[in-house]
Amino acid sequence: MIMRMIGTGSSLPQQIVTNEDLSKIMDTSDEWISSRTGIKERHLAKEETTASMSVEAGERALRNAGIKAEEIDLIIVATITGDYITPSAACEVQAGLGAGRAVAFDINAACSGFMFALHTAYAYLQSGIYKTALVIGAETLSKIMDWSDRSTCVLFGDGAGAAVVRVCEKETKEKGNGRGLLAFEQGTDGFRGKVLACEGRKNRNPLIQNSFVPSYVNMDGQEVYKFAVCTVPASILRVLDEADVSVEDIKYFVLHQANIRIIQSVAKRLNVDVEKFPVSLDHCGNVSAASVPILLDEMNQKGMLARGDKIVMSGFGGGLTWASAVIEW
Ligand code: ACO
């Protein structure tokens, strides 16, 4: 059985905010942000919502795949910034796309979310329960930022990316034929979860004396950095080993777009030319669960992915969570 990604799409808010723009409203500079992160600008939502961007990215992925919404069996949205606690963002996407046959639910695995959702979709497909899945990573992170905390708010952006994954029954698993998913691994370390956190709503029932304090993303940047540069190369080497594919065979390493320094360090630890690590963080910032599918869609639209290319995808972030995959396009 071959499970192939047959279409991608993405959606970014219209409003672009540059580092220069931020330096006019807080004590920061293009020099500080660019040199430490590689980020030059990000898209921030005004009218757009997590659901509206998800629907647009989903529509584009369906168009790219050449299939109709009624053909989707499963919709999974990875997000930590859904517009509602209920209904889920995925249920909103189902309605927005008119995907009447699909079952829809969300996954929360922060910046690894798209990879966790992809793995979940693959498991459903592999078991034979469903044939076609729409997997989306979408975030409106700007609404959970403390805009008076320059150490976090300059890092993040808003957007959505989507991929259609399908069981291609008629295709054979011969080498060079694009064998789809070759290997996958995911992991979590809840013991260290609070190094990157955003507290939920407090209980304010009448029996409890609780003052209302809205909570926002807070992060120990250096601990997150150490986690990422140790965990990601090790995870990538494990999936390569499982897929029986060497580092040299990989055309592109599509990593979660947190920080250019993390990407450079992973490239160095794997002894791979950094040119093999495409980047979207310069114009998108860190879009958490949306960063991997947005980058993948950009690569697909530019014609960078050809049948038979082997690529690695890897997500890492809040939870703490991580996940990597090797796929043959
Ligand atoms: N503009 C100007 N100065 C700033 C800003 C800013 N936006 N933010 C912080 N500073 C100042 C601090 O106040 C501090 O000043 P001080 O020395 O006078 O106290 C100084 O810059 C250094 O602050 P640090 O927090 O130590 O900065 P650091 O060099 O660690 O860089 C960064 C921060 C870029 C976040 C770094 O820790 C990092 O790369 N972390 C990796 C984690 C990451 O990228 N997280 C993103 C999201 S998580 C994820 O997606 C997995």
Side-chain angles (χ1 to χ4, degrees):
M1 182 190 288
I2 298 182
M3 293 169 297
R4 188 190 302 292
M5 221 177 260
I6 59 166
T8 62
S10 60
S11 167
L12 295 169
Q14 291 226 313
Q15 180 178 241
I16 296 172
V17 177
T18 64
N19 294 344
E20 200 61 43
D21 295 332
L22 290 179
S23 72
K24 291 179 188 144
I25 56 169
M26 66 185 75
D27 184 12
T28 190
S29 64
D30 176 46
E31 198 282 320
W32 193 97
I33 302 169
S34 314
S35 63
R36 280 179 176 72
T37 69
I39 298 164
K40 302 294 284 180
E41 57 189 38
R42 71 287 292 145
H43 293 248
L44 296 183
K46 261 185 163 175
E47 304 296 325
E48 300 87 351
T49 63
T50 298
S52 73
M53 293 185 288
S54 298
V55 170
E56 190 165 61
E59 277 167 352
R60 289 174 179 166
L62 292 180
R63 207 175 310 136
N64 185 239
I67 69 163
K68 295 196 168 56
E70 304 86 68
E71 295 178 57
I72 307 170
D73 302 307
L74 173 68
I75 299 170
I76 309 179
V77 177
T79 186
I80 55 168
T81 51
D83 306 316
Y84 294 86
I85 291 173
T86 189
S88 66
C91 282
E92 289 199 272
V93 170
Q94 176 186 25
L97 291 177
R101 282 186 52 240
V103 64
F105 59 87
D106 288 359
I107 277 186
N108 175 339
C111 306
S112 312
F114 178 78
M115 298 301 294
F116 273 55
L118 192 61
H119 200 192
T120 306
Y122 275 133
Y124 274 106
L125 265 45
Q126 189 141 36
S127 69
I129 297 175
Y130 301 123
K131 283 197 163 39
T132 306
L134 176 63
V135 183
I136 298 175
E139 303 287 8
T140 317
L141 293 165
S142 55
K143 67 187 178 190
I144 58 165
M145 288 301 130
D146 177 353
W147 286 93
S148 66
D149 175 10
R150 64 180 180 169
S151 69
T152 51
C153 70
V154 302
L155 305 174
F156 296 92
D158 301 330
V164 178
V165 191
R166 178 169 256 190
V167 177
C168 299
E169 280 154 323
K170 290 191 187 124
E171 294 183 26
T172 54
K173 247 186 176 176
E174 283 155 24
K175 258 199 162 160
N177 196 24
R179 292 171 295 163
L181 178 73
L182 301 184
F184 205 110
E185 78 139 33
Q186 59 194 138
T188 59
D189 177 4
F191 302 97
R192 289 193 288 162
K194 298 292 162 26
V195 299
L196 174 54
C198 180
E199 205 180 333
R201 210 185 263 197
K202 283 226 165 62
N203 191 342
R204 297 187 70 211
N205 82 50
L207 306 172
I208 297 173
Q209 301 288 313
N210 251 345
S211 56
F212 177 69
V213 187
S215 70
Y216 299 102
V217 168
N218 65 75
M219 174 182 76
D220 181 337
Q222 281 160 20
E223 281 305 312
V224 174
Y225 183 88
K226 281 188 252 168
F227 155 73
V229 299
C230 292
T231 308
V232 177
S235 171
I236 290 175
L237 289 175
R238 281 194 297 271
V239 281
L240 286 172
D241 189 45
E242 195 192 323
D244 199 17
V245 169
S246 72
V247 174
E248 294 75 34
D249 290 334
I250 299 299
K251 187 167 180 193
Y252 294 115
F253 294 80
V254 183
L255 262 55
H256 166 52
Q257 302 286 295
N259 185 306
I260 196 69
R261 286 180 172 177
I262 292 177
I263 293 172
Q264 288 163 344
S265 172
V266 172
K268 199 169 165 200
R269 283 168 194 239
L270 293 174
N271 203 15
V272 173
D273 189 340
V274 76
E275 294 296 314
K276 283 191 167 187
F277 290 69
V279 162
S280 62
L281 59 81
D282 55 339
H283 56 280
C284 291
N286 178 345
V287 205
S288 192
S291 73
V292 168
I294 289 173
L295 177 56
L296 205 58
D297 183 49
E298 287 188 359
M299 293 167 65
N300 196 15
Q301 298 312 321
K302 286 181 193 157
M304 292 166 68
L305 299 167
R307 179 60 64 91
D309 284 347
K310 294 185 188 66
I311 64 168
V312 161
M313 297 188 287
S314 189
F316 49 93
L320 296 169
T321 56
W322 65 93
S324 304
V326 186
I327 65 168
E328 201 170 79
W329 194 255

